[in-house]
């Protein structure tokens, strides 16, 4: 009998599913439901509720529940073999939080298939809306928690990250300070991932080590709730948080709600979900320590895996538990494609082919010319005042500026990931700009390792399906190996390998010092 597993991904704008056939190493089907289009009555824009305060970004948790009903109904209608699914897992946008009152546990246990999930859950929340990762209204709370935990370095070394506005702890503190009654009414706090897992399992689900690390509440090394962090955040938190565990752990059989209503296999296991980034790490096949992927999108994101927990003293990068054991890191550079496109516009370059030709006209190292392309406020390094800075670089020289943006982005990634103490053997490049060979060559040269392109459209949902498979195999005593599990699902694009040019790599080894000095000088100028 085919071994089928279902992975879901509840992201900001949509809910997606991937069904895999494990033995055939095949994705059987994928589906996606866009919140704004499919559920317009919630009035969200790109999945987020409008708010007068531009810093506040909330979404309605009932919309996510309704989306789950709708997607299961669609899968049933489309003949997806739900009756053969052995286990379900999932991933959620990270950091977002859902607030249950004392009626939630009972409602989840008695989900009535004659009613919708929305009807079943009405009256089970202590707060109608959920702050999500795009919210940046908690600067004060971040400062308060960071201070109580002893500053950036200690906050990062205890919880895996410095305090960030979007992280769940600061969001919980804001609720406690501004709506103490709602905080008191809250019997349970879930993440988006554990909320969705709770619906599937029909009981309050644990939070996993991957998503739990995005809260500023979990002890990153011991992988339990950190009492100092809980105390610094709000009173009584320990009673409101579920246990922490590994993603893929079996919670129990899937709720009979899904069995009776949509024909899900009555023996399907509901397993613990994780965050979308940890799930993507699995979906991209990063399961061994030292493996790295760089996603080149609107922002560029560096994903790495580590066996031992290293944290970033400067508090720029995040450390989460990896679903494959050990740790993963996420470092987000805001000025990714956004900045590359700005340079293309600035020098009126018709297309990326021409852009690559201009880069090829200039030597690696750009004769020492450096550009800091902070068109938008930057996350890494922290730059609040946007602006571009040039050092020994002629503003009129289009070709040198094209090379300079590629080199700056890659040197910044190398510099700001050094704290991980990982030297990658190879890097997987993914995302929109990963088909730009000139950019990938600079990546290979600066990082001094091979680069391979990987194209996976729903890496989080695929990762979630693989986590479900791992959970089921472990629960049935089959000692699964991650390496075997992901193989075939996550292969790089054939022939996409790019090797570093040894001469160029030496030039960048030397240039990195100058780049770091230019960065410090610019940062000082901005803050001074
Ligand atoms: C990660 C983060 C985002 C969300 C997007 O820290 O905030 O990547 O997980 O869904």
């Amino acid at each position: 009998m085919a071994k089928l597993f279902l992975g879901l991904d509840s992201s900001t704008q949509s809910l997606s599913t991937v069904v895999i056939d494990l033995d055939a190493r095949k994705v059987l089907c994928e589906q996606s439901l866009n919140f704004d289009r499919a559920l317009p009555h919630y009035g969200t824009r790109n999945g987020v509720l409008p708010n007068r305060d531009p810093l506040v970004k909330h979404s309605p948790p009932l919309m996510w529940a309704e989306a789950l009903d709708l997607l299961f109904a669609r899968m049933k209608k489309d003949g997806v073999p739900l009756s053969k699914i052995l286990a379900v897992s999932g991933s959620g946008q990270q950091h977002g939080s859902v607030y249950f009152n004392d009626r939630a546990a009972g409602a989840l246990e008695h989900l009535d298939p004659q009613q919708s999930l929305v009807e079943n859950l009405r009256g089970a929340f202590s707060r109608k809306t959920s702050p999500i990762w795009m919210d940046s209204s908690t600067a004060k709370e971040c400062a308060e928690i960071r201070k109580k935990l002893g500053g950036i370095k200690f906050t990062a070394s205890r919880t895996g990250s410095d305090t960030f506005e979007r992280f769940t702890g600061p969001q919980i503190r804001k609720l406690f300070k501004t709506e103490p009654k709602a905080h008191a009414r809250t019997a349970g706090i879930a993440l988006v991932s554990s909320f969705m897992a709770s619906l599937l399992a029909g009981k309050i689900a644990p939070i996993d080590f991957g998503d739990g690390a995005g809260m500023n509440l979990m002890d990153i090394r011991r992988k339990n709730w950190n009492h100092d962090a809980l105390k610094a955040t709000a009173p009584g938190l320990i009673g409101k948080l579920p246990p922490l565990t590994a993603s893929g752990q079996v919670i129990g059989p899937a709720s009979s709600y899904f069995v009776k209503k949509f024909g899900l296999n009555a023996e399907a296991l509901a397993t613990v979900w994780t965050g979308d980034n940890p799930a993507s790490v699995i979906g991209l096949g990063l399961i061994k320590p030292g493996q790295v992927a760089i996603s080149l999108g609107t922002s560029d994101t560096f994903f790495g895996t580590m066996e031992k927990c290293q944290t970033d003293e400067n508090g720029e990068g995040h450390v989460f538990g990896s679903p494959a054991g050990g740790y993963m890191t996420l470092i987000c550079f805001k000025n990714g494609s956004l900045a590359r496109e700005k340079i293309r516009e600035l020098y009126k370059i018709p297309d990326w082919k021409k852009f690559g030709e201009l880069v090829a006209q200039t030597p690696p190292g750009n004769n020492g010319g450096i550009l800091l392309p902070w068109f938008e406020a930057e996350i890494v390094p922290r730059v609040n005042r946007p602006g571009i800075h040039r050092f020994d670089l002629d503003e009129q020289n289009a070709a040198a500026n094209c090379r300079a943006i590629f080199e700056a982005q890659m040197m910044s990634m190398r510099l700001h990931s050094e704290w991980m103490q990982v030297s990658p053997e190879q890097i997987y490049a993914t995302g929109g700009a990963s088909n730009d060979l000139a950019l990938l060559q600079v990546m290979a040269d600066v990082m001094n390792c091979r680069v391979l392109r990987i194209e996976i459209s729903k890496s989080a949902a695929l990762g979630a399906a693989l986590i479900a498979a791992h959970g089921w195999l472990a629960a049935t005593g089959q000692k699964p190996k991650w390496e075997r599990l992901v193989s075939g699902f996550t292969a790089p694009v054939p022939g996409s390998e790019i090797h570093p040019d040894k001469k160029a790599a030496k030039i960048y080894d030397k240039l990195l010092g100058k780049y770091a000095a230019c960065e410090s000088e610019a940062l000082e100028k901005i803050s001074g």
Side-chain angles (χ1 to χ4, degrees), residues 78-145:
D78 292 351
V80 175
L82 292 171
S83 63
K84 299 203 173 103
I85 299 289
L86 297 177
V88 186
S89 196
S91 66
Q93 51 170 309
Q94 292 201 251
H95 319 296
S97 42
V98 178
Y99 297 76
F100 290 133
N101 62 24
D102 56 7
R103 269 177 287 176
L108 286 167
E109 268 170 45
H110 301 102
L111 291 176
D112 173 4
Q114 302 301 325
Q115 297 192 329
S116 67
L117 281 175
V118 169
E119 284 159 343
N120 273 290
L121 291 173
R122 212 157 254 144
F125 300 94
S126 57
R127 190 184 196 185
K128 278 206 182 96
T129 62
S130 292
I132 63 156
W133 67 279
M134 295 167 84
D135 189 289
S136 44
S137 66
T138 62
K140 258 200 209 138
E141 290 73 18
C142 284
E144 288 161 1
I145 297 170

Side-chain angles (χ1 to χ4, degrees), residues 131-164:
I132 63 156
W133 67 279
M134 295 167 84
D135 189 289
S136 44
S137 66
T138 62
K140 258 200 209 138
E141 290 73 18
C142 284
E144 288 161 1
I145 297 170
R146 179 190 297 128
K147 191 166 170 220
K148 284 200 195 141
L149 291 180
I152 293 180
K153 182 177 161 188
F154 288 108
T155 307
S157 79
R158 280 174 176 197
T159 72
S161 300
D162 181 22
T163 48
F164 280 85

Side-chain angles (χ1 to χ4, degrees), residues 256-287:
S256 60
Y257 177 90
F258 295 90
V259 177
K260 291 190 183 136
K261 196 161 187 164
F262 305 112
L264 181 65
N265 176 10
E267 279 164 27
L269 299 177
T271 73
V272 174
W273 288 34
T274 187
D276 54 0
N277 295 299
S280 281
V281 155
I282 300 297
L284 292 170
L286 307 184
I287 39 121

Side-chain angles (χ1 to χ4, degrees), residues 6-269:
L6 173 64
L8 292 135
D9 175 40
S10 182
S11 78
T12 318
Q13 303 191 29
S14 57
L15 179 68
S16 306
T17 61
V18 162
V19 175
I20 57 167
D21 179 333
L22 189 64
D23 294 333
R25 312 264 132 202
K26 237 175 57 191
V27 170
L28 278 193
C29 44
E30 303 185 353
Q31 303 225 357
S32 207
L33 180 149
N34 176 283
F35 298 139
D36 294 1
R37 280 200 295 274
L39 302 164
H41 44 284
Y42 289 95
T44 56
R45 224 167 287 150
N46 300 320
V48 186
L49 291 166
N51 196 294
R52 250 180 283 137
D53 182 344
L55 299 181
V56 171
K57 304 280 180 203
H58 284 211
S59 298
L62 281 177
M63 176 179 78
W64 301 325
E66 189 167 346
L68 190 62
D69 253 345
L70 212 58
L71 202 58
F72 263 91
R74 277 196 197 169
M75 287 195 282
K76 182 179 175 190
K77 188 167 150 263
D78 292 351
V80 175
L82 292 171
S83 63
K84 299 203 173 103
I85 299 289
L86 297 177
V88 186
S89 196
S91 66
Q93 51 170 309
Q94 292 201 251
H95 319 296
S97 42
V98 178
Y99 297 76
F100 290 133
N101 62 24
D102 56 7
R103 269 177 287 176
L108 286 167
E109 268 170 45
H110 301 102
L111 291 176
D112 173 4
Q114 302 301 325
Q115 297 192 329
S116 67
L117 281 175
V118 169
E119 284 159 343
N120 273 290
L121 291 173
R122 212 157 254 144
F125 300 94
S126 57
R127 190 184 196 185
K128 278 206 182 96
T129 62
S130 292
I132 63 156
W133 67 279
M134 295 167 84
D135 189 289
S136 44
S137 66
T138 62
K140 258 200 209 138
E141 290 73 18
C142 284
E144 288 161 1
I145 297 170
R146 179 190 297 128
K147 191 166 170 220
K148 284 200 195 141
L149 291 180
I152 293 180
K153 182 177 161 188
F154 288 108
T155 307
S157 79
R158 280 174 176 197
T159 72
S161 300
D162 181 22
T163 48
F164 280 85
E165 278 92 339
R166 67 189 192 283
F167 275 45
T168 325
Q171 294 290 344
I172 293 172
R173 180 160 179 79
K174 183 180 166 197
L175 178 74
F176 161 65
K177 280 169 55 189
T178 57
E179 295 176 58
K181 282 193 185 139
H183 177 75
R185 268 200 320 271
T186 300
I189 299 174
L191 292 179
V192 177
S193 59
S194 72
F195 169 63
M196 298 298 277
S198 303
L199 300 179
L200 256 313
K203 57 165 102 152
I204 305 267
I207 285 177
D208 90 300
F209 304 136
D211 221 10
M215 301 173 81
N216 284 136
L217 293 174
M218 187 184 101
D219 188 309
I220 192 69
R221 289 182 172 80
R222 297 200 180 103
K223 295 187 172 168
N224 55 16
W225 297 119
N226 180 293
H227 286 277
D228 292 336
L230 298 190
K231 229 169 81 191
T233 301
L237 268 191
I238 195 72
K240 302 183 198 286
L241 292 167
L244 284 158
T245 188
S247 55
Q249 282 279 334
V250 174
I251 309 170
S255 163
S256 60
Y257 177 90
F258 295 90
V259 177
K260 291 190 183 136
K261 196 161 187 164
F262 305 112
L264 181 65
N265 176 10
E267 279 164 27
L269 299 177

